Amino acid sequence: MERLFGFRTEDLSSWQRLVALLNRPTDPASLGIFRCLFGMLMAIDITQERGLSHLDYKYLDGAPVCRFPLFNFLQPLPMDWMYFVYVVMFLGAVGIMLGCFYRLSCLMFISTYWYIFFLDKTAWNNHSYLYGLIGFQLTLMDGNRFWSIDGLRKPAIRNAHVPLWNYTLLRTQIFIVYFIAGVKKLDADWVEGYSMSYLAHHWLFDPFKVILPVELVSLLVVHGGGLILDLTAGYLLFFDATRRYAFIPVSYFHCMNSQLFSIGMFSYTMLATSPLFCYPDWPRRFFARFPSLLRPVLPFTTTDIQTSASCVYPETQSSGKDRQETRSATRPSKLRLKHKLGAIFTLLYLAEQFFLPYSHFITQGYNNWTNGLYGYSWDMMVHSRSHQHVKITYKDGKTGEIGYLNPGVFTQSRRWKDHGDMLKQYATCLSHFLPRYNITDPEIYFDIWVSINERFQQRYLIFDPRVDIVRADWSPFRPNPWLMPLLVDLSPWRTKFQEIEGKLDNQTEIVFIADFPGLHLENFVSEDLGNTSVQVLQGQVNVEIVEEKKNYTLQPGEQMKLPAGAYHKVYTVSEEPSCYMYIYVNTTEAALQENFTKLFELQERVRNGTETEPLPPELQPLMSADDSDESEINATDPIVRLFLKRQRRMKEVKKRKEANVLERLNRFTVKKYYMIRRGFLMTAIALRNLAVGLPPVEQLTREVAFANMKEPQAEANDDERLKDEVGHGEL
């Protein structure tokens, strides 16, 4: 028992022995190193994922913006004061890293961090939640006992023992992150390989694709490997016999995640937590190998550790030193109140952390197709969504006038479409803004179609004049009656989807739809989609062509062509949910690609001298394309201009892919430099405004323009975005 878990069975035989165990004196070295790494990573995170570099764009001071706080009374401060909040959080993170005024630094960090966290539910994710939890834990721990400025200021705490519960909390917290994430991945969608199937196409999985097809890479490596690693990582890191072997796959896993997802410092934070599972004195043994010349700036390597009032020592101290902590078979010294409070907090906190991921039966108002608010349940990457159709309808409560809103108006977030509580907040916000546009007492209705984990696109929220979301009832403790259920009975159709899609050519697209009996989908076929048809897979539908005022009934297997540039409605008239699919070809896109092919062939003939006919004036830019890489493209024909822009962009992408390590490092460094530079310059402007007041507008404009300065290459490419190509704006 002691060899496997680090304590004896007798240590659990009574409350007093358990308190003594949790307060057993332990080497502070590993905790001190983790404190330093965590503070450093959080200081970097503040400038990036927390948004310091684009804070003015995030909060849009004075603009009409709909926000989604956890508690509706929470609102952002004026812009200059928000910068001040970030300064306090940054100084707190730096203080944690240095161990300087440690307890105050922790309070500065967590108070501002949790304020910003609760201010915007749309930015919630599991790792941001984890940062707040670790910051809270460190506030109560003795993290400044090793390699800290506080230790230099106060010799009494320098290199002093910390109670074992400091390590117990952190180790168990990380174990929960891994293990509960693995339990959540036992979901059928993950096990069957539907949650993250697109990841198999990433270049990181190319080595696996040498021996396995993409489908098996997705099922066995992405989903199977992720499930096994999450379920076992916590156990493998805990036990001495398996720890050294677990470091390799766990570290590789986090390094891959840093490339697969935009998750900021999360991968590096998890890498920093892995050594917490080692013996607490590992930093002493590690830094003892460095040259003696570096010892003054390196952490302590001496094993002479001071006693601490935070720990419970045996009445008769053993003279021998254990690698992990001091042990004795004699009775512990007298237990104090702080020792009992530490033990009680540890047990209650860990019980709460095990319970919270499964507490959704209490907070039923936050449950949707998935349970609870995303961010505290460790259900990482289990669900992927795509949105096909979003319609917001308003009705003037006085005149009865009906109109439509651009989805996402007055907000910068898209996550409101997936959560009923945010949708309620959004509708309430819209009802406050619309009266400014002479819409009295507005009613708001939503029609949102979502596909989760490659299922049918189906109605998420009912679009019905009887359900005005502004006045709809919502409570955090009751289910939402206006949310439509997920049609899980149709999940087996996903295998059929893959068969159907496999038979299509490269130009044909398909969208699968499911709807409820008695409801209908109103849709518009763009003129770009010149060959669109609808085919029924299950149930019975009536298709109404609005302009023609004609209705057509379709049974399973039947298909009809839909007119382009016109509205139609698809009514589900069967007693069971209907399933149908749209099959379409973007004729404009197909024609554009055909023109690109012809222009490329012509350009190749010109280059190799086989083109005998003189080029007309509108095609002359093709001859000088190689010489105009760094200059403006002068082409009168929009097709030629778009073709040359596309070629230039493809060259840039190829150049980036073929760049060597030094070029990539330089590009990364320059990008981060300008991002961090903007954050700190805008912060300096805000603090100056708070200290001495606003300067003249002309001076403020120059200062902001200087802060917005980008690297020369970025400025040159600002007008070369792919949005022109994707949206065909020039055509």
Side-chain angles (χ1 to χ4, degrees):
M1 185 74 171
E2 185 176 8
R3 187 172 64 253
L4 285 177
F5 296 102
F7 57 87
R8 302 183 180 93
T9 308
E10 294 78 13
D11 292 330
L12 306 178
S13 60
S14 67
W15 169 246
Q16 287 75 15
R17 288 182 176 273
L18 178 60
V19 173
L21 170 65
L22 292 174
N23 289 275
R24 189 167 64 191
T26 311
D27 195 315
S30 183
L31 180 62
I33 296 298
F34 174 73
R35 180 218 75 229
C36 182
L37 293 175
F38 178 76
M40 178 185 68
L41 292 171
M42 291 303 98
I44 299 173
D45 177 81
I46 288 167
T47 64
Q48 299 187 57
E49 193 173 2
R50 292 320 112 200
L52 178 63
S53 61
H54 57 275
L55 198 61
D56 48 335
Y57 297 110
K58 183 176 181 178
Y59 290 105
L60 296 174
D61 196 19
V65 179
C66 293
R67 308 188 190 279
F68 304 90
L70 179 62
F71 307 107
N72 290 327
F73 64 83
L74 280 178
Q75 293 297 324
L77 301 173
M79 183 57 62
D80 290 340
W81 284 104
M82 287 303 298
Y83 275 104
F84 179 76
V85 169
Y86 272 71
V87 168
V88 173
M89 181 166 57
F90 181 79
L91 292 177
V94 173
I96 293 174
M97 177 183 69
L98 300 176
C100 182
F101 298 101
Y102 172 71
R103 210 75 67 183
L104 175 62
S105 295
C106 287
L107 291 173
M108 291 168 60
F109 175 75
I110 66 168
S111 59
T112 50
Y113 185 92
W114 283 106
Y115 166 67
I116 293 170
F117 185 79
F118 289 143
L119 203 57
D120 186 11
K121 289 185 293 187
T122 65
W124 281 22
N125 49 46
N126 289 279
H127 61 267
S128 296
Y129 171 62
L130 178 63
Y131 297 161
L133 293 179
I134 294 177
F136 170 67
Q137 293 174 30
L138 288 177
T139 305
L140 304 176
M141 295 178 182
D142 296 330
N144 60 342
R145 299 298 194 260
F146 185 81
W147 207 30
S148 67
I149 293 179
D150 285 348
L152 298 177
R153 293 172 47 245
K154 302 177 182 179
I157 69 170
R158 186 190 311 167
N159 202 26
H161 282 127
V162 298
L164 179 62
W165 66 262
N166 287 194
Y167 287 98
T168 303
L169 270 184
L170 288 171
R171 289 168 176 169
T172 311
Q173 181 70 75
I174 302 307
F175 173 85
I176 289 173
V177 173
Y178 284 120
F179 184 71
I180 300 298
V183 173
K184 297 285 181 147
K185 286 181 175 61
L186 293 173
D187 179 85
D189 286 354
W190 183 276
V191 173
E192 295 174 10
Y194 290 108
S195 296
M196 293 281 121
S197 59
Y198 66 89
L199 288 182
H201 299 279
H202 197 278
W203 64 266
L204 281 171
F205 296 98
D206 287 349
F208 299 101
K209 285 181 276 188
V210 174
I211 57 175
L212 295 173
V214 175
E215 294 77 11
L216 287 182
V217 171
S218 173
L219 180 63
L220 300 180
V221 180
V222 176
H223 293 87
L227 171 63
I228 294 172
L229 188 137
D230 278 338
L231 284 175
T232 60
Y235 293 102
L236 297 177
L237 287 171
F238 182 83
F239 294 107
D240 294 346
T242 56
R243 186 179 304 118
R244 66 179 64 185
Y245 307 108
F247 267 110
I248 297 176
V250 168
S251 300
Y252 182 69
F253 173 74
H254 292 304
C255 290
M256 289 184 66
N257 284 343
S258 70
Q259 301 299 310
L260 289 171
F261 309 108
S262 298
I263 50 179
M265 295 294 106
F266 178 54
S267 298
Y268 310 106
T269 303
M270 292 303 290
L271 287 172
T273 64
S274 295
L276 286 171
F277 291 88
C278 299
Y279 287 104
D281 67 340
W282 72 262
R284 302 182 190 277
R285 292 179 280 115
F286 175 75
F287 289 109
R289 301 175 182 177
F290 283 70
S292 58
L293 293 176
L294 300 177
R295 296 287 171 81
V297 295
L298 292 178
F300 292 109
T301 58
T302 176
T303 57
D304 186 16
I305 307 174
Q306 295 192 81
T307 59
S308 170
S310 300
C311 303
V312 176
Y313 293 89
E315 291 181 348
T316 303
Q317 183 71 34
S318 174
S319 60
K321 292 290 192 300
D322 188 270
R323 289 181 65 188
Q324 184 169 1
E325 60 265 324
T326 304
R327 297 189 181 98
S328 175
T330 58
R331 292 178 54 195
S333 57
K334 183 179 179 181
L335 302 180
R336 299 180 182 177
L337 178 61
K338 65 182 303 182
H339 301 143
K340 297 177 181 178
L341 291 178
I344 292 172
F345 169 75
T346 300
L347 298 176
L348 291 179
Y349 177 86
L350 295 181
E352 176 264 345
Q353 281 297 300
F354 276 107
F355 169 75
L356 197 59
Y358 300 97
S359 63
H360 308 305
F361 66 94
I362 298 175
T363 56
Q364 298 184 67
Y366 295 105
N367 296 345
N368 305 285
W369 286 355
T370 57
N371 287 329
L373 283 168
Y374 181 74
Y376 66 90
S377 299
W378 314 119
D379 49 352
M380 293 172 279
M381 306 301 174
V382 177
H383 305 103
S384 60
R385 295 178 174 86
S386 64
H387 300 82
Q388 183 70 24
H389 179 76
V390 179
K391 182 167 66 175
I392 305 177
T393 306
Y394 70 83
K395 180 179 180 181
D396 191 306
K398 184 176 181 181
T399 66
E401 177 187 0
I402 294 178
Y404 303 94
L405 299 175
N406 182 26
V409 66
F410 298 124
T411 183
Q412 298 173 295
S413 173
R414 295 177 294 179
R415 291 182 70 174
W416 56 268
K417 294 179 288 188
D418 299 323
H419 301 274
D421 58 298
M422 296 186 197
L423 196 85
K424 174 66 177 178
Q425 288 177 303
Y426 188 39
T428 303
C429 177
L430 291 176
S431 69
H432 294 155
F433 285 147
L434 290 182
R436 302 181 185 181
Y437 301 90
N438 298 321
I439 301 172
T440 307
D441 196 20
E443 302 173 6
I444 308 294
Y445 307 97
F446 294 90
D447 192 19
I448 301 175
W449 294 71
V450 187
S451 170
I452 185 169
N453 292 345
E454 302 183 16
R455 288 181 173 85
F456 281 100
Q457 289 280 342
Q458 71 156 86
R459 195 181 303 268
Y460 180 59
L461 291 160
I462 190 167
F463 172 60
D464 192 320
R466 297 169 297 180
V467 183
D468 170 22
I469 304 300
V470 177
R471 294 163 182 80
D473 183 41
W474 182 85
S475 168
F477 306 110
R478 294 196 303 272
N480 297 327
W482 33 271
L483 292 183
M484 305 301 286
L486 178 64
L487 295 172
V488 293
D489 293 342
L490 302 178
S491 297
W493 272 95
R494 289 180 292 193
T495 304
K496 186 67 174 178
F497 294 168
Q498 296 173 352
E499 297 177 4
I500 296 174
E501 290 173 336
K503 299 177 182 178
L504 302 177
D505 56 47
N506 292 332
Q507 295 182 344
T508 304
E509 301 289 342
I510 195 165
V511 177
F512 298 96
I513 303 292
D515 203 3
F516 294 90
L519 301 179
H520 73 276
L521 168 64
E522 182 179 12
N523 211 348
F524 177 81
V525 178
S526 170
E527 294 181 354
D528 289 333
L529 309 180
N531 186 15
T532 302
S533 61
V534 60
Q535 179 177 337
V536 178
L537 302 173
Q538 176 179 304
Q540 181 178 337
V541 302
N542 282 348
V543 180
E544 176 189 354
I545 309 300
V546 178
E547 291 185 359
E548 299 177 2
K549 297 183 178 179
K550 293 182 178 179
N551 291 287
Y552 304 88
T553 301
L554 298 181
Q555 302 287 346
E558 296 181 342
Q559 179 177 349
M560 68 169 289
K561 188 173 181 179
L562 298 172
Y567 280 95
H568 68 273
K569 298 180 181 179
V570 182
Y571 295 86
T572 298
V573 296
S574 56
E575 295 183 357
E576 61 180 356
S578 65
C579 307
Y580 51 94
M581 60 183 178
Y582 285 100
I583 308 170
Y584 62 94
V585 176
N586 190 326
T587 52
T588 301
E589 177 73 19
L592 186 65
Q593 292 298 329
E594 184 179 354
N595 285 328
F596 281 173
T597 302
K598 293 179 179 179
L599 289 174
F600 178 76
E601 293 173 351
L602 177 60
Q603 190 181 54
E604 288 297 306
R605 292 198 302 270
V606 171
R607 286 174 177 171
N608 58 34
T610 58
E611 178 62 32
T612 58
E613 298 292 332
L615 295 181
E618 63 271 15
L619 298 181
Q620 290 292 331
L622 293 176
M623 300 177 61
S624 58
D626 294 335
D627 302 327
S628 61
D629 286 349
E630 302 300 330
S631 60
E632 183 180 355
I633 297 175
N634 294 314
T636 57
D637 187 281
I639 301 290
V640 175
R641 182 177 179 84
L642 195 59
F643 172 74
L644 294 177
K645 279 191 173 184
R646 182 172 180 266
Q647 276 197 324
R648 174 180 292 184
R649 180 59 179 167
M650 290 174 64
K651 288 181 180 179
E652 292 176 358
V653 172
K654 183 180 179 181
K655 183 179 178 181
R656 285 174 175 266
K657 287 183 177 180
E658 296 176 351
N660 57 41
V661 176
L662 290 179
E663 291 173 337
R664 294 184 181 216
L665 179 62
N666 178 70
R667 187 168 64 238
F668 172 83
T669 304
V670 170
K671 178 182 177 182
K672 295 300 180 183
Y673 164 75
Y674 279 96
M675 181 182 67
I676 296 173
R677 172 186 180 275
R678 184 183 192 278
F680 282 107
L681 286 177
M682 293 297 293
T683 301
I685 293 172
L687 295 181
R688 188 275 319 276
N689 295 343
L690 291 175
V692 299
L694 287 170
V697 176
E698 295 79 7
Q699 177 184 343
L700 190 60
T701 302
R702 290 194 303 269
E703 292 172 347
V704 174
F706 179 72
N708 288 334
M709 185 176 66
K710 301 179 181 179
E711 63 270 31
Q713 184 178 2
E715 292 178 348
N717 292 335
D718 273 349
D719 296 330
E720 302 295 329
R721 302 299 183 190
L722 278 179
K723 62 183 181 182
D724 288 336
E725 181 176 335
V726 175
H728 310 307
E730 296 188 15
L731 300 182

